[in-house]
Amino acid sequence: EWIFSFLSADKRKTYCLYEAPDEDSLRRAAERLNIPADVITPVDRIDPGIFA
């Protein structure tokens, strides 16, 4: 599930935050949608208040 996306300051890279059960699930979804998933960095927890 897509949660949030943002651009780097130089507007050359896009970063996206997704919720997925594992890295392979995210890679398969990216393949199906034909979107790049060059680097995936797993995290344990995201505080929902960060987006408020």
Side-chain angles (χ1 to χ4, degrees):
E1 179 179 346
W2 172 80
I3 297 172
F4 188 79
S5 295
F6 57 94
L7 290 173
S8 61
D10 63 5
K11 297 183 180 178
R12 298 181 73 192
K13 293 183 181 181
T14 302
Y15 297 89
C16 302
L17 179 62
Y18 291 92
E19 183 175 357
D22 53 51
E23 188 175 324
D24 289 335
S25 297
L26 184 54
R27 288 196 186 280
R28 286 192 304 272
E31 262 184 42
R32 282 193 311 269
L33 296 169
N34 197 31
I35 59 173
D38 301 329
V39 177
I40 297 175
T41 304
V43 297
D44 291 330
R45 181 178 169 205
I46 297 293
D47 180 358
I50 196 168
F51 302 111

